[in-house]
PDB file of all heavy atoms in Angstrom:
ATOM      1  N   PRO A   1       9.024  19.798  -6.086  1.00 83.00           N
ATOM      2  CA  PRO A   1       8.712  18.486  -6.668  1.00 83.00           C
ATOM      3  C   PRO A   1       7.876  17.571  -5.781  1.00 83.00           C
ATOM      4  O   PRO A   1       7.120  16.753  -6.277  1.00 83.00           O
ATOM      5  CB  PRO A   1      10.092  17.876  -6.937  1.00 83.00           C
ATOM      6  CG  PRO A   1      10.959  19.045  -7.173  1.00 83.00           C
ATOM      7  CD  PRO A   1      10.453  20.097  -6.224  1.00 83.00           C
ATOM      8  N   GLY A   2       7.937  17.707  -4.484  1.00 77.00           N
ATOM      9  CA  GLY A   2       7.140  16.838  -3.623  1.00 77.00           C
ATOM     10  C   GLY A   2       5.997  17.542  -2.941  1.00 77.00           C
ATOM     11  O   GLY A   2       5.396  17.001  -2.011  1.00 77.00           O
ATOM     12  N   LEU A   3       5.658  18.743  -3.387  1.00 76.00           N
ATOM     13  CA  LEU A   3       4.712  19.568  -2.641  1.00 76.00           C
ATOM     14  C   LEU A   3       3.284  19.045  -2.677  1.00 76.00           C
ATOM     15  O   LEU A   3       2.695  18.758  -1.644  1.00 76.00           O
ATOM     16  CB  LEU A   3       4.762  21.009  -3.167  1.00 76.00           C
ATOM     17  CG  LEU A   3       3.948  22.028  -2.390  1.00 76.00           C
ATOM     18  CD1 LEU A   3       4.445  22.111  -0.954  1.00 76.00           C
ATOM     19  CD2 LEU A   3       4.052  23.375  -3.040  1.00 76.00           C
ATOM     20  N   LEU A   4       2.712  18.895  -3.834  1.00 64.00           N
ATOM     21  CA  LEU A   4       1.300  18.518  -3.927  1.00 64.00           C
ATOM     22  C   LEU A   4       1.117  17.154  -4.566  1.00 64.00           C
ATOM     23  O   LEU A   4       0.140  16.915  -5.256  1.00 64.00           O
ATOM     24  CB  LEU A   4       0.549  19.573  -4.739  1.00 64.00           C
ATOM     25  CG  LEU A   4       0.521  20.968  -4.135  1.00 64.00           C
ATOM     26  CD1 LEU A   4      -0.101  21.942  -5.109  1.00 64.00           C
ATOM     27  CD2 LEU A   4      -0.212  20.980  -2.823  1.00 64.00           C
ATOM     28  N   THR A   5       2.043  16.249  -4.338  1.00 63.00           N
ATOM     29  CA  THR A   5       1.984  14.984  -5.055  1.00 63.00           C
ATOM     30  C   THR A   5       1.747  13.782  -4.148  1.00 63.00           C
ATOM     31  O   THR A   5       2.052  12.683  -4.526  1.00 63.00           O
ATOM     32  CB  THR A   5       3.292  14.765  -5.834  1.00 63.00           C
ATOM     33  OG1 THR A   5       4.383  14.788  -4.911  1.00 63.00           O
ATOM     34  CG2 THR A   5       3.486  15.827  -6.879  1.00 63.00           C
ATOM     35  N   ASN A   6       1.207  13.992  -2.974  1.00 79.00           N
ATOM     36  CA  ASN A   6       1.029  12.877  -2.078  1.00 79.00           C
ATOM     37  C   ASN A   6      -0.456  12.549  -1.942  1.00 79.00           C
ATOM     38  O   ASN A   6      -1.179  13.184  -1.175  1.00 79.00           O
ATOM     39  CB  ASN A   6       1.642  13.186  -0.710  1.00 79.00           C
ATOM     40  CG  ASN A   6       1.924  11.943   0.066  1.00 79.00           C
ATOM     41  OD1 ASN A   6       1.297  10.910  -0.161  1.00 79.00           O
ATOM     42  ND2 ASN A   6       2.857  12.022   0.976  1.00 79.00           N
ATOM     43  N   ALA A   7      -0.897  11.562  -2.677  1.00 84.00           N
ATOM     44  CA  ALA A   7      -2.303  11.161  -2.655  1.00 84.00           C
ATOM     45  C   ALA A   7      -2.689  10.528  -1.324  1.00 84.00           C
ATOM     46  O   ALA A   7      -3.853  10.590  -0.921  1.00 84.00           O
ATOM     47  CB  ALA A   7      -2.572  10.193  -3.795  1.00 84.00           C
ATOM     48  N   PHE A   8      -1.730   9.953  -0.617  1.00 86.00           N
ATOM     49  CA  PHE A   8      -2.015   9.357   0.684  1.00 86.00           C
ATOM     50  C   PHE A   8      -2.531  10.405   1.662  1.00 86.00           C
ATOM     51  O   PHE A   8      -3.451  10.143   2.445  1.00 86.00           O
ATOM     52  CB  PHE A   8      -0.751   8.681   1.225  1.00 86.00           C
ATOM     53  CG  PHE A   8      -0.909   8.099   2.591  1.00 86.00           C
ATOM     54  CD1 PHE A   8      -1.747   7.021   2.804  1.00 86.00           C
ATOM     55  CD2 PHE A   8      -0.230   8.633   3.671  1.00 86.00           C
ATOM     56  CE1 PHE A   8      -1.903   6.482   4.069  1.00 86.00           C
ATOM     57  CE2 PHE A   8      -0.371   8.096   4.937  1.00 86.00           C
ATOM     58  CZ  PHE A   8      -1.215   7.029   5.132  1.00 86.00           C
ATOM     59  N   PHE A   9      -1.977  11.620   1.609  1.00 87.00           N
ATOM     60  CA  PHE A   9      -2.437  12.693   2.482  1.00 87.00           C
ATOM     61  C   PHE A   9      -3.877  13.080   2.162  1.00 87.00           C
ATOM     62  O   PHE A   9      -4.656  13.394   3.059  1.00 87.00           O
ATOM     63  CB  PHE A   9      -1.535  13.917   2.356  1.00 87.00           C
ATOM     64  CG  PHE A   9      -0.165  13.744   2.956  1.00 87.00           C
ATOM     65  CD1 PHE A   9       0.773  14.742   2.816  1.00 87.00           C
ATOM     66  CD2 PHE A   9       0.185  12.611   3.658  1.00 87.00           C
ATOM     67  CE1 PHE A   9       2.029  14.614   3.364  1.00 87.00           C
ATOM     68  CE2 PHE A   9       1.439  12.459   4.202  1.00 87.00           C
ATOM     69  CZ  PHE A   9       2.368  13.465   4.057  1.00 87.00           C
ATOM     70  N   ILE A  10      -4.240  13.049   0.890  1.00 87.00           N
ATOM     71  CA  ILE A  10      -5.606  13.375   0.495  1.00 87.00           C
ATOM     72  C   ILE A  10      -6.571  12.336   1.070  1.00 87.00           C
ATOM     73  O   ILE A  10      -7.637  12.683   1.584  1.00 87.00           O
ATOM     74  CB  ILE A  10      -5.722  13.451  -1.039  1.00 87.00           C
ATOM     75  CG1 ILE A  10      -4.898  14.625  -1.565  1.00 87.00           C
ATOM     76  CG2 ILE A  10      -7.175  13.568  -1.479  1.00 87.00           C
ATOM     77  CD1 ILE A  10      -4.738  14.640  -3.061  1.00 87.00           C
ATOM     78  N   ILE A  11      -6.198  11.076   1.004  1.00 88.00           N
ATOM     79  CA  ILE A  11      -7.054  10.016   1.547  1.00 88.00           C
ATOM     80  C   ILE A  11      -7.177  10.143   3.063  1.00 88.00           C
ATOM     81  O   ILE A  11      -8.265   9.987   3.623  1.00 88.00           O
ATOM     82  CB  ILE A  11      -6.517   8.636   1.132  1.00 88.00           C
ATOM     83  CG1 ILE A  11      -6.656   8.450  -0.373  1.00 88.00           C
ATOM     84  CG2 ILE A  11      -7.236   7.519   1.876  1.00 88.00           C
ATOM     85  CD1 ILE A  11      -5.975   7.216  -0.921  1.00 88.00           C
ATOM     86  N   LEU A  12      -6.061  10.441   3.751  1.00 88.00           N
ATOM     87  CA  LEU A  12      -6.117  10.626   5.208  1.00 88.00           C
ATOM     88  C   LEU A  12      -7.045  11.772   5.584  1.00 88.00           C
ATOM     89  O   LEU A  12      -7.864  11.653   6.497  1.00 88.00           O
ATOM     90  CB  LEU A  12      -4.716  10.912   5.756  1.00 88.00           C
ATOM     91  CG  LEU A  12      -3.817   9.737   6.058  1.00 88.00           C
ATOM     92  CD1 LEU A  12      -2.473  10.230   6.556  1.00 88.00           C
ATOM     93  CD2 LEU A  12      -4.434   8.812   7.065  1.00 88.00           C
ATOM     94  N   MET A  13      -6.906  12.903   4.884  1.00 89.00           N
ATOM     95  CA  MET A  13      -7.716  14.066   5.209  1.00 89.00           C
ATOM     96  C   MET A  13      -9.196  13.811   4.903  1.00 89.00           C
ATOM     97  O   MET A  13     -10.073  14.171   5.699  1.00 89.00           O
ATOM     98  CB  MET A  13      -7.210  15.283   4.449  1.00 89.00           C
ATOM     99  CG  MET A  13      -7.802  16.578   4.936  1.00 89.00           C
ATOM    100  SD  MET A  13      -6.821  17.963   4.421  1.00 89.00           S
ATOM    101  CE  MET A  13      -6.034  18.377   5.954  1.00 89.00           C
ATOM    102  N   LYS A  14      -9.481  13.168   3.791  1.00 90.00           N
ATOM    103  CA  LYS A  14     -10.866  12.856   3.432  1.00 90.00           C
ATOM    104  C   LYS A  14     -11.491  11.946   4.494  1.00 90.00           C
ATOM    105  O   LYS A  14     -12.623  12.182   4.944  1.00 90.00           O
ATOM    106  CB  LYS A  14     -10.909  12.180   2.063  1.00 90.00           C
ATOM    107  CG  LYS A  14     -12.276  11.719   1.625  1.00 90.00           C
ATOM    108  CD  LYS A  14     -12.158  10.919   0.333  1.00 90.00           C
ATOM    109  CE  LYS A  14     -13.433  10.269  -0.072  1.00 90.00           C
ATOM    110  NZ  LYS A  14     -13.882   9.202   0.788  1.00 90.00           N
ATOM    111  N   THR A  15     -10.774  10.938   4.901  1.00 89.00           N
ATOM    112  CA  THR A  15     -11.282  10.012   5.916  1.00 89.00           C
ATOM    113  C   THR A  15     -11.505  10.724   7.247  1.00 89.00           C
ATOM    114  O   THR A  15     -12.504  10.492   7.925  1.00 89.00           O
ATOM    115  CB  THR A  15     -10.299   8.840   6.098  1.00 89.00           C
ATOM    116  OG1 THR A  15     -10.075   8.236   4.835  1.00 89.00           O
ATOM    117  CG2 THR A  15     -10.840   7.820   7.065  1.00 89.00           C
ATOM    118  N   TYR A  16     -10.577  11.605   7.613  1.00 89.00           N
ATOM    119  CA  TYR A  16     -10.726  12.335   8.869  1.00 89.00           C
ATOM    120  C   TYR A  16     -11.974  13.210   8.834  1.00 89.00           C
ATOM    121  O   TYR A  16     -12.749  13.226   9.782  1.00 89.00           O
ATOM    122  CB  TYR A  16      -9.492  13.191   9.145  1.00 89.00           C
ATOM    123  CG  TYR A  16      -9.600  13.961  10.439  1.00 89.00           C
ATOM    124  CD1 TYR A  16      -9.271  13.364  11.646  1.00 89.00           C
ATOM    125  CD2 TYR A  16     -10.069  15.264  10.455  1.00 89.00           C
ATOM    126  CE1 TYR A  16      -9.398  14.057  12.834  1.00 89.00           C
ATOM    127  CE2 TYR A  16     -10.189  15.965  11.633  1.00 89.00           C
ATOM    128  CZ  TYR A  16      -9.851  15.358  12.820  1.00 89.00           C
ATOM    129  OH  TYR A  16      -9.981  16.042  13.999  1.00 89.00           O
ATOM    130  N   PHE A  17     -12.167  13.960   7.740  1.00 88.00           N
ATOM    131  CA  PHE A  17     -13.321  14.848   7.658  1.00 88.00           C
ATOM    132  C   PHE A  17     -14.628  14.074   7.644  1.00 88.00           C
ATOM    133  O   PHE A  17     -15.617  14.508   8.244  1.00 88.00           O
ATOM    134  CB  PHE A  17     -13.237  15.743   6.418  1.00 88.00           C
ATOM    135  CG  PHE A  17     -12.285  16.895   6.572  1.00 88.00           C
ATOM    136  CD1 PHE A  17     -11.374  17.183   5.582  1.00 88.00           C
ATOM    137  CD2 PHE A  17     -12.295  17.677   7.705  1.00 88.00           C
ATOM    138  CE1 PHE A  17     -10.501  18.243   5.724  1.00 88.00           C
ATOM    139  CE2 PHE A  17     -11.430  18.739   7.852  1.00 88.00           C
ATOM    140  CZ  PHE A  17     -10.529  19.029   6.862  1.00 88.00           C
ATOM    141  N   GLU A  18     -14.659  12.931   6.990  1.00 88.00           N
ATOM    142  CA  GLU A  18     -15.891  12.141   6.941  1.00 88.00           C
ATOM    143  C   GLU A  18     -16.237  11.535   8.291  1.00 88.00           C
ATOM    144  O   GLU A  18     -17.413  11.427   8.647  1.00 88.00           O
ATOM    145  CB  GLU A  18     -15.767  11.030   5.902  1.00 88.00           C
ATOM    146  CG  GLU A  18     -15.873  11.514   4.483  1.00 88.00           C
ATOM    147  CD  GLU A  18     -15.690  10.384   3.480  1.00 88.00           C
ATOM    148  OE1 GLU A  18     -15.298   9.266   3.879  1.00 88.00           O
ATOM    149  OE2 GLU A  18     -15.926  10.626   2.283  1.00 88.00           O
ATOM    150  N   ASN A  19     -15.219  11.125   9.056  1.00 88.00           N
ATOM    151  CA  ASN A  19     -15.483  10.392  10.297  1.00 88.00           C
ATOM    152  C   ASN A  19     -15.474  11.260  11.550  1.00 88.00           C
ATOM    153  O   ASN A  19     -16.055  10.864  12.559  1.00 88.00           O
ATOM    154  CB  ASN A  19     -14.456   9.273  10.469  1.00 88.00           C
ATOM    155  CG  ASN A  19     -14.600   8.223   9.403  1.00 88.00           C
ATOM    156  OD1 ASN A  19     -15.680   8.019   8.868  1.00 88.00           O
ATOM    157  ND2 ASN A  19     -13.505   7.560   9.079  1.00 88.00           N
ATOM    158  N   SER A  20     -14.828  12.421  11.530  1.00 86.00           N
ATOM    159  CA  SER A  20     -14.646  13.178  12.767  1.00 86.00           C
ATOM    160  C   SER A  20     -15.427  14.478  12.829  1.00 86.00           C
ATOM    161  O   SER A  20     -15.633  15.003  13.913  1.00 86.00           O
ATOM    162  CB  SER A  20     -13.163  13.486  12.969  1.00 86.00           C
ATOM    163  OG  SER A  20     -12.445  12.283  13.113  1.00 86.00           O
ATOM    164  N   ILE A  21     -15.813  15.025  11.715  1.00 87.00           N
ATOM    165  CA  ILE A  21     -16.549  16.280  11.733  1.00 87.00           C
ATOM    166  C   ILE A  21     -18.008  15.974  11.388  1.00 87.00           C
ATOM    167  O   ILE A  21     -18.310  15.556  10.264  1.00 87.00           O
ATOM    168  CB  ILE A  21     -15.938  17.302  10.759  1.00 87.00           C
ATOM    169  CG1 ILE A  21     -14.507  17.596  11.198  1.00 87.00           C
ATOM    170  CG2 ILE A  21     -16.784  18.564  10.702  1.00 87.00           C
ATOM    171  CD1 ILE A  21     -13.766  18.550  10.339  1.00 87.00           C
ATOM    172  N   PRO A  22     -18.892  16.146  12.350  1.00 88.00           N
ATOM    173  CA  PRO A  22     -20.297  15.787  12.105  1.00 88.00           C
ATOM    174  C   PRO A  22     -20.958  16.732  11.100  1.00 88.00           C
ATOM    175  O   PRO A  22     -20.799  17.957  11.177  1.00 88.00           O
ATOM    176  CB  PRO A  22     -20.948  15.906  13.480  1.00 88.00           C
ATOM    177  CG  PRO A  22     -20.014  16.698  14.304  1.00 88.00           C
ATOM    178  CD  PRO A  22     -18.658  16.601  13.702  1.00 88.00           C
ATOM    179  N   THR A  23     -21.683  16.164  10.185  1.00 89.00           N
ATOM    180  CA  THR A  23     -22.389  16.973   9.189  1.00 89.00           C
ATOM    181  C   THR A  23     -23.509  17.783   9.833  1.00 89.00           C
ATOM    182  O   THR A  23     -23.869  18.845   9.331  1.00 89.00           O
ATOM    183  CB  THR A  23     -22.964  16.091   8.066  1.00 89.00           C
ATOM    184  OG1 THR A  23     -23.800  15.093   8.637  1.00 89.00           O
ATOM    185  CG2 THR A  23     -21.854  15.443   7.270  1.00 89.00           C
ATOM    186  N   SER A  24     -24.038  17.300  10.956  1.00 90.00           N
ATOM    187  CA  SER A  24     -25.098  18.039  11.649  1.00 90.00           C
ATOM    188  C   SER A  24     -24.581  19.382  12.161  1.00 90.00           C
ATOM    189  O   SER A  24     -25.327  20.364  12.206  1.00 90.00           O
ATOM    190  CB  SER A  24     -25.663  17.211  12.799  1.00 90.00           C
ATOM    191  OG  SER A  24     -24.635  16.895  13.724  1.00 90.00           O
ATOM    192  N   LEU A  25     -23.316  19.451  12.520  1.00 90.00           N
ATOM    193  CA  LEU A  25     -22.726  20.707  12.979  1.00 90.00           C
ATOM    194  C   LEU A  25     -22.644  21.714  11.833  1.00 90.00           C
ATOM    195  O   LEU A  25     -22.960  22.897  11.999  1.00 90.00           O
ATOM    196  CB  LEU A  25     -21.329  20.427  13.552  1.00 90.00           C
ATOM    197  CG  LEU A  25     -20.627  21.543  14.283  1.00 90.00           C
ATOM    198  CD1 LEU A  25     -21.432  21.969  15.498  1.00 90.00           C
ATOM    199  CD2 LEU A  25     -19.249  21.088  14.698  1.00 90.00           C
ATOM    200  N   ILE A  26     -22.275  21.244  10.663  1.00 90.00           N
ATOM    201  CA  ILE A  26     -22.195  22.112   9.484  1.00 90.00           C
ATOM    202  C   ILE A  26     -23.603  22.543   9.059  1.00 90.00           C
ATOM    203  O   ILE A  26     -23.831  23.717   8.726  1.00 90.00           O
ATOM    204  CB  ILE A  26     -21.452  21.395   8.347  1.00 90.00           C
ATOM    205  CG1 ILE A  26     -19.996  21.151   8.771  1.00 90.00           C
ATOM    206  CG2 ILE A  26     -21.516  22.182   7.054  1.00 90.00           C
ATOM    207  CD1 ILE A  26     -19.212  20.261   7.853  1.00 90.00           C
ATOM    208  N   GLU A  27     -24.553  21.620   9.105  1.00 92.00           N
ATOM    209  CA  GLU A  27     -25.927  21.965   8.750  1.00 92.00           C
ATOM    210  C   GLU A  27     -26.516  22.976   9.725  1.00 92.00           C
ATOM    211  O   GLU A  27     -27.234  23.892   9.317  1.00 92.00           O
ATOM    212  CB  GLU A  27     -26.786  20.702   8.718  1.00 92.00           C
ATOM    213  CG  GLU A  27     -26.466  19.779   7.570  1.00 92.00           C
ATOM    214  CD  GLU A  27     -27.150  18.429   7.687  1.00 92.00           C
ATOM    215  OE1 GLU A  27     -27.839  18.184   8.704  1.00 92.00           O
ATOM    216  OE2 GLU A  27     -26.988  17.616   6.768  1.00 92.00           O
ATOM    217  N   ALA A  28     -26.195  22.854  10.998  1.00 91.00           N
ATOM    218  CA  ALA A  28     -26.687  23.808  11.999  1.00 91.00           C
ATOM    219  C   ALA A  28     -26.117  25.193  11.739  1.00 91.00           C
ATOM    220  O   ALA A  28     -26.825  26.207  11.879  1.00 91.00           O
ATOM    221  CB  ALA A  28     -26.324  23.335  13.396  1.00 91.00           C
ATOM    222  N   ALA A  29     -24.866  25.257  11.354  1.00 91.00           N
ATOM    223  CA  ALA A  29     -24.253  26.550  11.034  1.00 91.00           C
ATOM    224  C   ALA A  29     -24.893  27.163   9.792  1.00 91.00           C
ATOM    225  O   ALA A  29     -25.099  28.377   9.725  1.00 91.00           O
ATOM    226  CB  ALA A  29     -22.750  26.380  10.835  1.00 91.00           C
ATOM    227  N   GLN A  30     -25.241  26.326   8.804  1.00 93.00           N
ATOM    228  CA  GLN A  30     -25.902  26.840   7.602  1.00 93.00           C
ATOM    229  C   GLN A  30     -27.297  27.366   7.929  1.00 93.00           C
ATOM    230  O   GLN A  30     -27.718  28.404   7.404  1.00 93.00           O
ATOM    231  CB  GLN A  30     -25.988  25.742   6.540  1.00 93.00           C
ATOM    232  CG  GLN A  30     -24.667  25.425   5.895  1.00 93.00           C
ATOM    233  CD  GLN A  30     -24.733  24.215   4.973  1.00 93.00           C
ATOM    234  OE1 GLN A  30     -25.629  23.384   5.093  1.00 93.00           O
ATOM    235  NE2 GLN A  30     -23.772  24.124   4.065  1.00 93.00           N
ATOM    236  N   ILE A  31     -27.993  26.675   8.802  1.00 93.00           N
ATOM    237  CA  ILE A  31     -29.330  27.127   9.209  1.00 93.00           C
ATOM    238  C   ILE A  31     -29.226  28.460   9.954  1.00 93.00           C
ATOM    239  O   ILE A  31     -30.074  29.342   9.807  1.00 93.00           O
ATOM    240  CB  ILE A  31     -30.032  26.053  10.075  1.00 93.00           C
ATOM    241  CG1 ILE A  31     -30.381  24.853   9.209  1.00 93.00           C
ATOM    242  CG2 ILE A  31     -31.258  26.618  10.768  1.00 93.00           C
ATOM    243  CD1 ILE A  31     -30.891  23.666   9.978  1.00 93.00           C
TER     244      ILE A  31
END
């Protein structure tokens, strides 16, 4: 019942990925 129902965790993870993982690193790996 409490497994996938926490929207706060989704917001935390989204914010972390946007602010801490540089997109240039992902683009370099794609290149």
